[in-house]
Amino acid sequence: MHPSPEKQRDMLRQMQTIRRFEERASADFRSGAIYGVVHSYIGEEAVAVGVCAALNREDQIISTHRGHGHCIAKGADLNRMMAELYGREAGYCKGKGGSMHIADFGIGMLGANGIVAGGIPIVTGAGLAAQLEGKGRVAVSFFGDGASNAGPFHESINIAGAWKLPMLYVCENNMYAVQTPAAKSLAFKDVAARAAGYGIPGVIVDGNDVLAVYEAAVEAVARARAGDGPTLIECKTYRWRAHTERPAQPDYRPPEEIEAWKKKDPIPRLVRHLKQQQGQFSDEEWQELDKQVLKALEDSVTFAKASPFPATDAALEDVYAD
Ligand SMILES: Cc1ncc(C[n+]2csc(CCOP(=O)(O)OP(=O)(O)O)c2C)c(N)n1
Ligand SMILES: [Mg+2]
């Protein structure tokens, strides 16, 4: 069943916020205002938003190196996110982590991870904790097609299947791991097929259709809450930009492939759906929504720039627990 029109509008706002956040982050990285590294999620917004729309605040997620979208979809504060990318004290990690280290336990965002597949066992532990606590919470792992070739993925879904942990394993199959096409590192076509080897359901979804992602997630969440164990959801999608924003990184993907996927943009797709379904969603409302999103982002950049860089002698603070 489709979510209510109000919820669909929220989902549209979130996808557009991710899109605009990423545009800004890439531009500011290239101009030298943001340090470290930035991996753009543009093109894949429907995955994070569709899945997180099926979750409660208490449910927990873990992200990847391409994690801004997951943070935004789970409800992270744009100001603190932007300040973190800018390396400022007001950021989520006091400016010492950057793009790949944003966590907010208050909203169930357990963090990003620069280690490919590194988050999968951590969030599987959160799934075990949820099961032991017995309050009906679920845990969600986001990861890429490349990560699904790494050992931690297999070990985690094996134990989650055996113990029926309340988990969703969400593979964002964007067809590449840096420059390596999935077809060169996976003998079959679908990551979802791997689920059979671990005795759990494997579902394939159009990852550019936010409503389809949402519906698959709702079903998997219901299974998990009912004690029936994890589901592997493979979302077929595509990143529009190069692997990272670092200059001089070659992008060997065929330009016509990139163009073809841009035509499957998940955002206008939901706009069209809203217009057809509701009739009353007008171009003016869409422009107004985008204006508000841009304003919120502009404010987040102002907030970031107003915050100082962390002091050098604070470098070791928060490294060890008290
Ligand atoms: C353990 C490990 N190996 C290699 C890398 C370098 N690396 C960073 S991202 C990436 C590709 C990840 O591909 P995928 O899981 O498909 O995610 P995507 O970038 O496509 O979202 C690699 C190999 C790393 N960060 N960690
Ligand atoms: Mg990939």
Side-chain angles (χ1 to χ4, degrees):
M1 207 183 73
H2 282 345
S4 68
E6 291 69 38
K7 186 155 178 141
Q8 288 183 39
R9 281 172 192 242
D10 286 347
M11 290 160 87
L12 179 63
R13 179 183 294 273
Q14 282 191 326
M15 287 204 289
Q16 188 67 358
T17 304
I18 297 171
R19 175 72 51 97
R20 295 297 195 191
F21 186 96
E22 296 296 54
E23 286 170 357
R24 186 67 198 246
S26 296
D28 290 2
F29 177 84
R30 276 179 276 121
S31 76
I34 288 176
Y35 305 93
V37 70
V38 164
H39 300 83
S40 171
Y41 197 60
I42 291 182
E44 306 188 21
E45 297 91 344
V47 179
V49 171
V51 171
C52 290
L55 303 178
N56 297 332
R57 190 180 169 91
E58 303 71 47
D59 296 323
Q60 295 176 316
I61 68 165
I62 224 159
S63 176
T64 66
H65 53 286
R66 201 177 298 289
H68 310 152
H70 308 127
C71 286
I72 292 171
K74 199 70 176 63
D77 180 66
L78 286 186
N79 290 353
R80 293 182 68 198
M81 279 184 72
M82 196 58 91
E84 190 55 43
L85 266 66
Y86 264 78
R88 308 301 173 107
E89 237 173 49
Y92 266 112
C93 291
K94 302 183 186 171
K96 294 186 277 185
S99 158
M100 286 191 288
H101 298 279
I102 296 179
D104 186 345
F105 286 12
I107 56 164
M109 168 61 194
L110 299 184
N113 209 309
I115 311 294
V116 170
I120 308 175
I122 299 173
V123 76
T124 301
L128 175 59
Q131 186 184 60
L132 292 172
E133 281 171 21
K135 292 183 182 151
R137 210 171 64 225
V138 306
V140 180
S141 185
F142 290 99
F143 55 92
D145 47 288
S148 80
N149 295 327
F153 165 79
H154 295 274
E155 296 175 37
S156 298
I157 63 165
N158 177 59
I159 206 69
W163 292 352
K164 291 200 179 307
L165 298 184
M167 300 275 321
L168 273 63
Y169 291 94
V170 180
C171 180
E172 305 180 317
N173 188 349
N174 59 12
M175 299 166 48
Y176 293 86
V178 194
Q179 310 293 359
T180 308
K184 295 266 186 223
S185 56
L186 189 61
F188 39 69
K189 201 167 103 277
D190 304 314
V191 173
R194 291 182 150 159
Y198 300 101
I200 69 171
V203 183
I204 298 171
V205 192
D206 177 346
N208 283 28
D209 180 350
V210 73
L211 299 175
V213 174
Y214 172 78
E215 275 160 28
V218 166
E219 203 178 317
V221 167
R223 267 194 92 239
R225 294 209 208 281
D228 293 334
T231 304
L232 172 60
I233 301 177
E234 176 184 6
C235 301
K236 306 276 192 190
T237 187
Y238 201 79
R239 63 172 155 76
W240 288 14
R241 299 185 60 80
H243 173 67
T244 78
E245 295 302 314
R246 280 199 198 108
Q249 270 219 334
D251 188 355
Y252 298 116
R253 298 175 308 164
E256 56 282 6
E257 181 180 279
I258 302 174
E259 286 315 307
W261 276 91
K262 283 185 177 172
K263 294 204 174 78
K264 301 185 210 172
D265 189 338
I267 296 179
R269 192 164 170 175
L270 181 56
V271 172
R272 278 198 301 274
H273 181 84
L274 270 164
K275 281 184 179 168
Q276 282 161 7
Q277 181 196 240
Q278 291 181 281
Q280 72 271 39
F281 188 70
S282 62
D283 288 336
E284 291 70 39
E285 281 175 284
W286 176 215
Q287 282 160 13
E288 177 56 28
L289 186 150
D290 189 33
K291 230 167 82 185
Q292 290 170 4
V293 166
L294 283 168
K295 165 85 171 61
L297 272 172
E298 203 48 54
D299 289 350
S300 74
V301 172
T302 307
F303 175 88
K305 287 181 176 165
S307 173
F309 287 103
T312 315
D313 60 9
L316 293 181
E317 275 174 19
D318 308 313
V319 173
Y320 302 102
D322 289 332

